[in-house]
């Protein structure tokens, strides 16, 4: 896609990290930025998701859309009324404090976002849903976690089918009712929020593709990682292209 000097801005939600286990940083995967720039045709802007540095109102003014990225830290279970356990892993409360109200504000304003993995879970929690810390422990579920060893290519390899609702938004976008995706997550949707529409499930029933019912803007989110090989993958490319179109439409509408 041809780049323009006036590309709309997509805020790429960052995560906290450490260099050499001691130097704190805000970080974001390069493949996220590449997908936004090269496939969506937008300007990626890494966001430090911390309420001490940014506010939801400022972000919505500066950015035309948002990519809710994956991340190692999980959403704190208190955000959906559950007690924290060892199975919930570790958390990023600063990111929780930005992304959850950001999702709700974007839904209300019609401002587009695309949720990926943790971002998919953020959409559900923000809209009143709950998560399970280890979906592989539920009856009949497979292990969706990233393989502990191997190359990056092996970690992001396509591993299971996702069956889509016939005639739904995702099936229409992909031109098929069944796709094959990667899988790199331990948590998953337990109870969907009241406005969460599940349009894709893995072979074991795990929710994989959702959107927010009656939202005026683009609210699609997926549990897998479409940013991997986004330019060439037949599922990832139309998803990022559609998101870019939605961001451009929103940017043009608000001048």
């Amino acid at each position: 896609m041809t780049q323009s000097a006036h590309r709309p801005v997509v805020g790429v939600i960052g995560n906290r990290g450490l260099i050499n286990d001691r130097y704190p940083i805000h970080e974001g995967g390069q493949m996220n930025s590449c997908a936004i720039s090269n496939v969506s045709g937008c300007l990626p802007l890494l966001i430090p998701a911390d309420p001490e540095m940014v506010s939801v109102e400022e972000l919505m003014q500066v950015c035309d859309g948002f990519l809710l990225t994956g991340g190692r830290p999980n959403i704190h279970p208190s955000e959906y009324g559950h007690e924290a356990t060892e199975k919930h892993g570790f958390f990023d409360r600063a990111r929780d404090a930005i992304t959850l109200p950001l999702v709700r504000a974007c839904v209300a304003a019609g401002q587009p976002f695309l949720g990926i993995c943790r971002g998919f879970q953020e959409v559900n929690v923000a809209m009143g849903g709950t998560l399970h810390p280890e979906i592989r422990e539920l009856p009949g579920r497979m292990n969706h976690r990233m393989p502990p060893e191997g190359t990056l290519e092996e970690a992001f390899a396509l591993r299971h089918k996702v069956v889509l609702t016939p005639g739904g938004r995702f099936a229409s976008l992909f031109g098929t009712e069944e796709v094959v995706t990667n899988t790199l997550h331990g948590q998953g949707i337990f109870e969907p929020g009241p406005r969460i529409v599940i349009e894709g499930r893995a072979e074991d029933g795990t929710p994989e593709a959702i959107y927010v019912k009656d939202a005026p803007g683009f609210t699609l989110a997926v549990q897998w990682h479409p940013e991997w090989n986004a330019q060439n993958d037949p599922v990832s490319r139309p998803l990022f292209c559609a998101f870019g179109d939605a961001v451009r439409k929103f940017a043009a509408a608000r001048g």
Side-chain angles (χ1 to χ4, degrees), residues 2-242:
T2 302
Q3 295 185 359
S4 165
H6 302 287
R7 290 184 292 166
V9 176
V10 169
V12 179
I13 299 298
N15 292 292
R16 295 191 191 192
L18 290 174
I19 294 178
N20 297 329
D21 295 323
R22 64 176 181 171
Y23 184 79
I25 60 171
H26 288 112
E27 59 185 8
Q30 289 185 21
M31 63 182 77
N32 290 313
S33 298
C34 287
I36 292 300
S37 179
N38 299 334
V39 186
S40 298
C42 300
L43 176 68
L45 180 66
L46 185 62
I47 300 298
D50 188 330
E52 293 188 3
M53 303 173 190
V54 299
S55 70
V56 169
E57 293 76 15
E58 289 173 321
L59 293 178
M60 293 179 71
Q61 291 174 6
V62 170
C63 302
D64 300 298
F66 297 94
L67 182 66
L68 307 169
T69 63
R72 293 288 302 279
N74 292 315
I75 303 166
H76 198 281
S78 65
E79 298 288 353
Y80 48 91
H82 290 191
E83 294 291 330
T85 68
E86 289 187 5
K87 291 181 180 179
H88 286 93
F90 61 100
F91 311 109
D92 184 345
R93 299 298 277 136
R95 174 165 169 164
D96 293 346
I98 289 294
T99 54
L100 300 180
L102 177 64
V103 167
R104 291 187 285 266
C106 285
V107 168
Q111 195 154 350
F113 60 74
L114 172 61
I116 292 176
C117 200
R118 176 189 158 119
F120 167 94
Q121 296 167 12
E122 286 170 335
V123 174
N124 184 55
V125 171
M127 301 308 296
T130 66
L131 306 175
H132 193 281
E134 276 290 358
I135 55 172
R136 61 182 174 178
E137 295 181 355
L138 294 173
R141 301 294 182 92
M142 61 182 284
N143 182 6
H144 288 255
R145 285 189 174 275
M146 178 191 294
E149 299 178 351
T151 65
L152 200 62
E153 288 76 13
E154 291 168 332
F156 283 88
L158 303 181
R159 288 173 55 196
H160 66 60
K161 297 178 182 178
V162 174
V163 179
L164 306 169
T165 300
R169 297 187 184 189
F170 287 90
S172 298
L173 180 60
F174 299 143
T176 181
E177 295 174 4
E178 187 177 283
V179 297
V180 182
T181 72
N182 55 36
T183 183
L184 299 90
H185 64 102
Q187 295 198 138
I189 289 180
F190 188 54
E191 299 168 309
R195 292 178 62 186
I196 294 296
V197 179
I198 300 174
E199 276 202 354
R201 292 182 182 271
E203 299 159 272
D204 63 359
T206 299
E208 295 278 343
I210 63 174
Y211 69 89
V212 180
K213 183 179 180 180
D214 296 329
F218 187 104
T219 62
L220 273 59
V222 297
Q223 182 63 85
W224 68 88
H225 282 264
E227 72 272 25
W228 172 257
N229 195 29
Q231 281 190 286
N232 303 310
D233 183 82
V235 176
S236 300
R237 186 171 184 85
L239 182 60
F240 277 100
C241 284

